Amino acid sequence: MPGVNKDKGAKKPKKTSIPRTPIPEQDAKKRAGNFDEVALGYNRDQALIEASRCLQCKKPKCVAGCPVNIDIPQFIKALEEDDPAAAIAILKQKTSFPAVCGRVCPQEDQCEKLCILGRKHEPVAIGRLERYAADWEAAQGEAAKPGIAAGKGKKVGVVGSGPAGLTCAGELAKQGYDVTIYEALHKPGGVLVYGIPEFRLPKQIVQRECDYVESLGVEIRLDHVIGRTMTVDEMLENGHDAVFIANGAGLPMFMNIPGENFNGVYSANEFLTRANLMKSYRFPDYDTPIKIGKRVAVIGGGNVAMDAARTALRLGAQVHLVYRRSMDELPARREEVHHAQEEGIEFHLLTNPVRIIGDQEGWVEEIEVIKMELGEPDLSGRRRPVPVEGSETRIPVDVVIMAIGTRANPLLTQSTKNLELNKWGNIVADEHTLATSKEGVFAGGDIVTGAATVILAMGAGKIAARSIDRYLRGQPLLTPEEEEEIRAASDKAAAASK
Amino acid sequence: MYKILDKVDYSDDVYMQVIEAPAVARAARAGQFVILRIHEEGERIPLTIADFDREKGTVTIVVQAVGKSTRHLQTLSGGETLANFIGPLGLPSEIENFGTVIMAGGGVGVAPIYPIARELKDAGNKVISILAARTKHLLLWEDKMRDISDEVIVTTDDGSYGRKCLVTEPLKELCEAGGVDLVYAIGPGIMMKFCCKTTEPLGVRTLVSLNSIMVDGTGMCGACRVSVGGETKFVCVEGPEFDGHQVDFDELMSRQRQYLEQEKIANDLYLECRGDAQCLA
């Protein structure tokens, strides 16, 4: 009753006085020995309390921080009213994969960073609420299917079934296009299956999202390496009216220090692919072997480094994380760093490998590292680490995992005619339309941006779907209003830089 | 699922399979490889293409059973299926008229050398093939190689057939006699290493096809990296063929032994159970 609130005695607690609801987690000691999910998710009561913290801002800042512009206050309002079905419907207007986004998005740098509540208190746990809504839906059985427009009689080929490809394919299928995804590996999902470990994103969830996209009428053709089994030009010649290239980042980088080809040196991609995609943590039930190591050094400080370190730990190793800058510059999500520390990973900060030392048989024995100190800021704005002369020490290890990034995979791009690349080999695509230099071909995700996040790739998938739809209707890729908006934004940015 | 159309055992542990894989066959070229997986729990096995038929949509592989997966594969006959068959991967051989080429194949290495030799012959080269085996009954594809070669030399380690010597002996004689423009050597690492040691002082360009350990085969993992001319190369995207005089074979062979311990565990378990699913579980 509206009148009741006037009675001061029955007043609800102030929203700002409710603390952010912690998410239940598996105990650190216990989870260090298994691959089960770390965060267990909110129950109904926790979700209701957390949802009630949202201020329901008239001009919400959080939405602008979301790469796919989810109507965050609205879905949270639905949760507050204990209507998860309505919440999931609001989420799905903008994201096809809330169960994934709720788990792996860096909300602290996006929506939650801009939450008004976060200025004086802690921000609303938007990601955890998104996950709650998605998991509620999964528990109901089959996902509600959106309406699918009548067939348009046009065929679109999507290269890669990672977050960008799945998103684009799902959007276009809903609009009545005939979409086929070509996936190089034997399982769909891209980085969601080969890269992100089970304990952060259960593979069952990825499978469910892929099943959902297939249920919209998308065909996922596995074992098809575009650039080898078929080229992009052949796709266009063989009946595809448009192509979206979202084949991911590609080749792992190494440091070019002595000893990197000793046995026991892995790229993070290889280590994680063996463990995640090939399930070698269940060897010999699964055939693919992995060298576990008693003492493992992981080089790098990104999310991939944390994933590799925590996977090695779960396989039974004592893990040393070696990062050349300090904790402040560590690019991984705070939550992942915190989890890694809790689980017992030893951090060697301001430390950089110099060489890897091997034994007679060619196996890794030690890694020589040097202390670093922070100098002047570099191009990225972070202070450049400089080696401290004479500070070399050695860490005895039998496995080294390099998690220092990837470079563009040349396999597809080199086999495609008239496709403009930048000097690093990434595809050049218009940032607002994702159109490439090649007629009818669009590109997005890591192959354009270099290694980035799942949600940015999903955002690219959505833009590509919008562009491809307009392209196939013979419309301009941007409306006059959108062009105006872009012009205004760039004028504003130019003015700001003056 | 990919159907096995035919299987022929050449010896206790060497066999040929013809796989129905039209998309792979359509794009396949000499020198490339495939990756297959037997079943859902299986590993990804890279194998060089031994032959292909674009019209029939088939790809032929020749395999030596060395571990669990390749032993298991040998038990599968025509009509049975593979979970995955991916390719063609790697760069195709460069085919042009070089003049006189020597095709040296060791053991099962004769099979992948066949389609390259065939294309080199078609391109107008004089093809001299050296087929090397431990003993007579392990010699592969002699007839097929004779069909496309101007000259065939057979060597066996035990002298049971052809010349009793290693592959390097006739290779050295031919290169010393002069007029050899290119050598292809495909076989075990040690064989390729010594072929390269033979040709290098004589200045004869030698190409090898490397069979390093791989996972995805598309450049993503870097398991296959090898030092070529002091630089690290990925065999799966930059190879599998390289200038043999630049390859660090000792590193290659060491890296090939990385999983011996695990391979033994898997193999022992497999042999104990003889493929019985219940026992393996």
Side-chain angles (χ1 to χ4, degrees), chain B residues 140-155:
Chain B
L140 285 178
W141 284 18
E142 185 188 349
D143 291 348
K144 286 181 80 148
M145 288 302 288
R146 282 195 190 277
D147 286 347
I148 50 144
S149 305
D150 293 277
E151 189 185 335
V152 172
I153 299 162
V154 175
T155 70

PDB file of all heavy atoms in Angstrom, chain B residues 140-155:
ATOM      1  N   LEU B 140      56.949 -49.878 -48.631  1.00  0.00           N
ATOM      2  CA  LEU B 140      55.613 -49.405 -49.000  1.00  0.00           C
ATOM      3  C   LEU B 140      55.563 -48.905 -50.422  1.00  0.00           C
ATOM      4  O   LEU B 140      56.497 -48.269 -50.885  1.00  0.00           O
ATOM      5  CB  LEU B 140      55.245 -48.189 -48.143  1.00  0.00           C
ATOM      6  CG  LEU B 140      54.862 -48.348 -46.702  1.00  0.00           C
ATOM      7  CD1 LEU B 140      54.615 -46.966 -46.129  1.00  0.00           C
ATOM      8  CD2 LEU B 140      53.601 -49.185 -46.605  1.00  0.00           C
ATOM      9  N   TRP B 141      54.462 -49.068 -51.060  1.00  0.00           N
ATOM     10  CA  TRP B 141      54.070 -48.336 -52.276  1.00  0.00           C
ATOM     11  C   TRP B 141      55.134 -48.332 -53.382  1.00  0.00           C
ATOM     12  O   TRP B 141      55.260 -47.372 -54.134  1.00  0.00           O
ATOM     13  CB  TRP B 141      53.686 -46.892 -51.913  1.00  0.00           C
ATOM     14  CG  TRP B 141      52.327 -46.814 -51.267  1.00  0.00           C
ATOM     15  CD1 TRP B 141      51.646 -47.829 -50.704  1.00  0.00           C
ATOM     16  CD2 TRP B 141      51.506 -45.643 -51.105  1.00  0.00           C
ATOM     17  NE1 TRP B 141      50.452 -47.385 -50.202  1.00  0.00           N
ATOM     18  CE2 TRP B 141      50.350 -46.034 -50.436  1.00  0.00           C
ATOM     19  CE3 TRP B 141      51.646 -44.306 -51.454  1.00  0.00           C
ATOM     20  CZ2 TRP B 141      49.305 -45.161 -50.106  1.00  0.00           C
ATOM     21  CZ3 TRP B 141      50.632 -43.422 -51.136  1.00  0.00           C
ATOM     22  CH2 TRP B 141      49.470 -43.830 -50.464  1.00  0.00           C
ATOM     23  N   GLU B 142      55.874 -49.452 -53.488  1.00  0.00           N
ATOM     24  CA  GLU B 142      56.911 -49.502 -54.519  1.00  0.00           C
ATOM     25  C   GLU B 142      56.292 -49.338 -55.917  1.00  0.00           C
ATOM     26  O   GLU B 142      56.790 -48.572 -56.734  1.00  0.00           O
ATOM     27  CB  GLU B 142      57.676 -50.829 -54.420  1.00  0.00           C
ATOM     28  CG  GLU B 142      58.849 -50.889 -55.379  1.00  0.00           C
ATOM     29  CD  GLU B 142      59.502 -52.267 -55.448  1.00  0.00           C
ATOM     30  OE1 GLU B 142      59.194 -53.139 -54.601  1.00  0.00           O
ATOM     31  OE2 GLU B 142      60.307 -52.469 -56.366  1.00  0.00           O
ATOM     32  N   ASP B 143      55.177 -50.055 -56.167  1.00  0.00           N
ATOM     33  CA  ASP B 143      54.551 -49.993 -57.495  1.00  0.00           C
ATOM     34  C   ASP B 143      54.065 -48.587 -57.814  1.00  0.00           C
ATOM     35  O   ASP B 143      54.273 -48.077 -58.912  1.00  0.00           O
ATOM     36  CB  ASP B 143      53.355 -50.958 -57.575  1.00  0.00           C
ATOM     37  CG  ASP B 143      53.819 -52.407 -57.552  1.00  0.00           C
ATOM     38  OD1 ASP B 143      55.047 -52.618 -57.710  1.00  0.00           O
ATOM     39  OD2 ASP B 143      52.974 -53.303 -57.348  1.00  0.00           O
ATOM     40  N   LYS B 144      53.391 -47.966 -56.837  1.00  0.00           N
ATOM     41  CA  LYS B 144      52.881 -46.613 -57.062  1.00  0.00           C
ATOM     42  C   LYS B 144      54.023 -45.655 -57.368  1.00  0.00           C
ATOM     43  O   LYS B 144      53.905 -44.776 -58.224  1.00  0.00           O
ATOM     44  CB  LYS B 144      52.106 -46.114 -55.823  1.00  0.00           C
ATOM     45  CG  LYS B 144      50.729 -46.768 -55.664  1.00  0.00           C
ATOM     46  CD  LYS B 144      49.987 -46.240 -54.437  1.00  0.00           C
ATOM     47  CE  LYS B 144      49.345 -44.903 -54.720  1.00  0.00           C
ATOM     48  NZ  LYS B 144      48.082 -44.661 -53.976  1.00  0.00           N
ATOM     49  N   MET B 145      55.117 -45.815 -56.642  1.00  0.00           N
ATOM     50  CA  MET B 145      56.253 -44.919 -56.851  1.00  0.00           C
ATOM     51  C   MET B 145      56.915 -45.183 -58.208  1.00  0.00           C
ATOM     52  O   MET B 145      57.370 -44.259 -58.872  1.00  0.00           O
ATOM     53  CB  MET B 145      57.275 -45.072 -55.715  1.00  0.00           C
ATOM     54  CG  MET B 145      56.821 -44.487 -54.382  1.00  0.00           C
ATOM     55  SD  MET B 145      56.422 -42.716 -54.428  1.00  0.00           S
ATOM     56  CE  MET B 145      58.043 -41.982 -54.582  1.00  0.00           C
ATOM     57  N   ARG B 146      56.957 -46.465 -58.620  1.00  0.00           N
ATOM     58  CA  ARG B 146      57.559 -46.783 -59.931  1.00  0.00           C
ATOM     59  C   ARG B 146      56.754 -46.129 -61.056  1.00  0.00           C
ATOM     60  O   ARG B 146      57.307 -45.676 -62.045  1.00  0.00           O
ATOM     61  CB  ARG B 146      57.631 -48.302 -60.150  1.00  0.00           C
ATOM     62  CG  ARG B 146      58.774 -48.935 -59.394  1.00  0.00           C
ATOM     63  CD  ARG B 146      59.110 -50.350 -59.862  1.00  0.00           C
ATOM     64  NE  ARG B 146      60.065 -50.952 -58.924  1.00  0.00           N
ATOM     65  CZ  ARG B 146      61.391 -50.743 -58.982  1.00  0.00           C
ATOM     66  NH1 ARG B 146      61.915 -49.990 -59.933  1.00  0.00           N
ATOM     67  NH2 ARG B 146      62.188 -51.303 -58.088  1.00  0.00           N
ATOM     68  N   ASP B 147      55.408 -46.087 -60.878  1.00  0.00           N
ATOM     69  CA  ASP B 147      54.536 -45.508 -61.911  1.00  0.00           C
ATOM     70  C   ASP B 147      54.856 -44.040 -62.198  1.00  0.00           C
ATOM     71  O   ASP B 147      54.590 -43.558 -63.295  1.00  0.00           O
ATOM     72  CB  ASP B 147      53.058 -45.574 -61.475  1.00  0.00           C
ATOM     73  CG  ASP B 147      52.517 -46.983 -61.579  1.00  0.00           C
ATOM     74  OD1 ASP B 147      53.199 -47.822 -62.216  1.00  0.00           O
ATOM     75  OD2 ASP B 147      51.436 -47.252 -61.032  1.00  0.00           O
ATOM     76  N   ILE B 148      55.363 -43.324 -61.212  1.00  0.00           N
ATOM     77  CA  ILE B 148      55.542 -41.874 -61.386  1.00  0.00           C
ATOM     78  C   ILE B 148      57.005 -41.450 -61.312  1.00  0.00           C
ATOM     79  O   ILE B 148      57.301 -40.259 -61.286  1.00  0.00           O
ATOM     80  CB  ILE B 148      54.742 -41.099 -60.304  1.00  0.00           C
ATOM     81  CG1 ILE B 148      55.059 -41.656 -58.919  1.00  0.00           C
ATOM     82  CG2 ILE B 148      53.239 -41.165 -60.557  1.00  0.00           C
ATOM     83  CD1 ILE B 148      55.106 -40.618 -57.869  1.00  0.00           C
ATOM     84  N   SER B 149      57.907 -42.438 -61.247  1.00  0.00           N
ATOM     85  CA  SER B 149      59.334 -42.101 -61.139  1.00  0.00           C
ATOM     86  C   SER B 149      60.056 -42.493 -62.424  1.00  0.00           C
ATOM     87  O   SER B 149      59.675 -43.449 -63.103  1.00  0.00           O
ATOM     88  CB  SER B 149      59.990 -42.860 -59.983  1.00  0.00           C
ATOM     89  OG  SER B 149      59.300 -42.628 -58.782  1.00  0.00           O
ATOM     90  N   ASP B 150      61.118 -41.737 -62.726  1.00  0.00           N
ATOM     91  CA  ASP B 150      61.959 -42.129 -63.855  1.00  0.00           C
ATOM     92  C   ASP B 150      62.894 -43.252 -63.433  1.00  0.00           C
ATOM     93  O   ASP B 150      63.324 -44.057 -64.244  1.00  0.00           O
ATOM     94  CB  ASP B 150      62.767 -40.921 -64.333  1.00  0.00           C
ATOM     95  CG  ASP B 150      61.859 -39.870 -64.932  1.00  0.00           C
ATOM     96  OD1 ASP B 150      61.520 -39.995 -66.115  1.00  0.00           O
ATOM     97  OD2 ASP B 150      61.445 -38.944 -64.206  1.00  0.00           O
ATOM     98  N   GLU B 151      63.212 -43.274 -62.147  1.00  0.00           N
ATOM     99  CA  GLU B 151      64.147 -44.282 -61.650  1.00  0.00           C
ATOM    100  C   GLU B 151      63.804 -44.536 -60.182  1.00  0.00           C
ATOM    101  O   GLU B 151      63.452 -43.593 -59.454  1.00  0.00           O
ATOM    102  CB  GLU B 151      65.573 -43.692 -61.766  1.00  0.00           C
ATOM    103  CG  GLU B 151      66.676 -44.684 -61.496  1.00  0.00           C
ATOM    104  CD  GLU B 151      68.056 -44.004 -61.511  1.00  0.00           C
ATOM    105  OE1 GLU B 151      68.207 -42.934 -62.165  1.00  0.00           O
ATOM    106  OE2 GLU B 151      68.950 -44.537 -60.836  1.00  0.00           O
ATOM    107  N   VAL B 152      63.866 -45.809 -59.773  1.00  0.00           N
ATOM    108  CA  VAL B 152      63.599 -46.121 -58.366  1.00  0.00           C
ATOM    109  C   VAL B 152      64.761 -46.924 -57.791  1.00  0.00           C
ATOM    110  O   VAL B 152      65.215 -47.890 -58.409  1.00  0.00           O
ATOM    111  CB  VAL B 152      62.284 -46.917 -58.213  1.00  0.00           C
ATOM    112  CG1 VAL B 152      62.122 -47.408 -56.766  1.00  0.00           C
ATOM    113  CG2 VAL B 152      61.085 -46.070 -58.615  1.00  0.00           C
ATOM    114  N   ILE B 153      65.229 -46.490 -56.634  1.00  0.00           N
ATOM    115  CA  ILE B 153      66.278 -47.240 -55.935  1.00  0.00           C
ATOM    116  C   ILE B 153      65.681 -47.696 -54.603  1.00  0.00           C
ATOM    117  O   ILE B 153      65.086 -46.889 -53.888  1.00  0.00           O
ATOM    118  CB  ILE B 153      67.513 -46.350 -55.676  1.00  0.00           C
ATOM    119  CG1 ILE B 153      68.091 -45.861 -57.000  1.00  0.00           C
ATOM    120  CG2 ILE B 153      68.556 -47.091 -54.836  1.00  0.00           C
ATOM    121  CD1 ILE B 153      69.005 -44.668 -56.866  1.00  0.00           C
ATOM    122  N   VAL B 154      65.790 -48.989 -54.321  1.00  0.00           N
ATOM    123  CA  VAL B 154      65.277 -49.498 -53.050  1.00  0.00           C
ATOM    124  C   VAL B 154      66.463 -49.850 -52.153  1.00  0.00           C
ATOM    125  O   VAL B 154      67.428 -50.445 -52.618  1.00  0.00           O
ATOM    126  CB  VAL B 154      64.394 -50.743 -53.279  1.00  0.00           C
ATOM    127  CG1 VAL B 154      63.969 -51.349 -51.944  1.00  0.00           C
ATOM    128  CG2 VAL B 154      63.169 -50.394 -54.124  1.00  0.00           C
ATOM    129  N   THR B 155      66.351 -49.447 -50.874  1.00  0.00           N
ATOM    130  CA  THR B 155      67.378 -49.883 -49.922  1.00  0.00           C
ATOM    131  C   THR B 155      66.688 -50.528 -48.718  1.00  0.00           C
ATOM    132  O   THR B 155      65.605 -50.106 -48.338  1.00  0.00           O
ATOM    133  CB  THR B 155      68.237 -48.705 -49.407  1.00  0.00           C
ATOM    134  OG1 THR B 155      67.427 -47.885 -48.554  1.00  0.00           O
ATOM    135  CG2 THR B 155      68.794 -47.859 -50.542  1.00  0.00           C
TER     136      THR B 155
END
